[in-house]
Amino acid sequence: MRRWLLAGLLVAGLPVCGRGQDDYLRWDPKTAKTTALAMRANGQVGGSFDFRVTSTDRAYNYKLRATWLTPEVIRATARLIQLAQGLTDEETRKLVEEAEAAGDTVILVEIDPREGSGIIPRDWTAHLMPRGADPAGPRAVRGTVAPRLRDVKALAGAAQRDYAYDIFWVVFPLRLTDGRLLFGPEDQEAELAVRIYSKGGRVRWKIPESIRQRAGEAPAR
């Protein structure tokens, strides 16, 4: 299984963390930018044909973007910062260390309300799980919004900011409450399920090998 996942990343032409811990410090700008954007996915919360709301307290659906800040994405973002600001290798390593200290894994969630209210309610939720799992079931973990991560440079992502979207940094554990790994060897894809009021939406990614490695290092809960 590990060989298959590693081969998939190599075929895609993306760097794989763990093969050389400092390899990212020599990535050229194109490689760093491509890697930093590789885990960015688009979706929607609510259906395209939902009825338009007659009140102004909520939108009838929401544009959704999510960037999974995997070890590769963090390192690529740090490398882009290094190139732009002329940082030393040690300063760049510290950016990576700061980002990875934020939690098991972080997803940058962007939400843009369509018509109605432009306010995102505080009680919106995000769950990370294997593809096809029930967000309310035992194989999903709920994320915690962490506004403090706004100041962590290597978690900023590499895409140009679109101010139509509200941005949230959401931290997820990589183990279930019973201590099992969130993603088992049989799981090939991960899903992020976002719910706002009664409306839901999902985005998905292939599970990177680096996330499996990080999950194995995460303490049981």
Side-chain angles (χ1 to χ4, degrees), residues 10 22-23 27 36 69 80-81 115 119 127 149 154 201 203 210:
L10 291 173
D22 283 345
D23 287 353
W27 290 348
L69 301 172
L80 290 171
I81 295 170
E115 301 194 12
I119 298 174
H127 289 82
L149 298 183
V203 296
S210 60

Side-chain angles (χ1 to χ4, degrees), residues 65-209:
R65 281 201 299 249
T67 304
W68 195 351
L69 301 172
T70 63
E72 290 86 2
V73 173
I74 288 172
R75 284 161 175 75
T77 305
R79 174 59 173 161
L80 290 171
I81 295 170
Q82 180 184 29
L83 291 169
Q85 300 183 10
L87 302 184
T88 65
D89 287 352
E90 186 57 32
E91 288 172 329
T92 308
R93 291 188 192 98
K94 288 181 179 178
L95 293 180
V96 172
E97 291 172 5
E98 180 188 24
E100 294 197 325
D104 288 359
T105 196
V106 180
I107 297 178
L108 182 64
V109 178
E110 302 174 68
I111 301 172
D112 178 17
R114 284 176 167 153
E115 301 194 12
S117 171
I119 298 174
I120 310 298
R122 290 186 178 181
D123 59 353
W124 71 276
T125 61
H127 289 82
L128 184 64
M129 65 209 129
R131 180 178 178 179
D134 180 356
R139 295 207 63 202
V141 294
R142 180 167 175 168
T144 301
V145 177
R148 61 185 173 79
L149 298 183
R150 182 181 300 274
D151 296 326
V152 179
K153 293 180 179 180
L155 294 179
Q160 183 175 355
R161 172 71 193 272
D162 184 341
Y163 288 92
Y165 287 76
D166 288 290
I167 296 182
F168 305 89
W169 283 261
V170 189
V171 182
F172 295 89
L174 287 173
R175 286 181 179 266
L176 303 171
T177 55
D178 61 6
R180 290 180 299 152
L181 295 175
L182 175 60
F183 302 116
E186 74 282 1
D187 298 314
Q188 302 300 312
E189 292 185 298
E191 283 188 330
L192 174 73
V194 173
R195 192 161 191 83
I196 304 174
Y197 295 120
S198 60
K199 301 178 185 295
R202 299 191 182 203
V203 296
R204 66 174 60 104
W205 306 267
K206 288 186 177 179
I207 302 170
E209 177 68 7

Side-chain angles (χ1 to χ4, degrees), residues 20-33:
Q21 289 299 320
D22 283 345
D23 287 353
Y24 71 97
L25 295 171
R26 302 295 172 260
W27 290 348
D28 60 76
K30 181 178 180 181
T31 298
K33 188 66 176 285

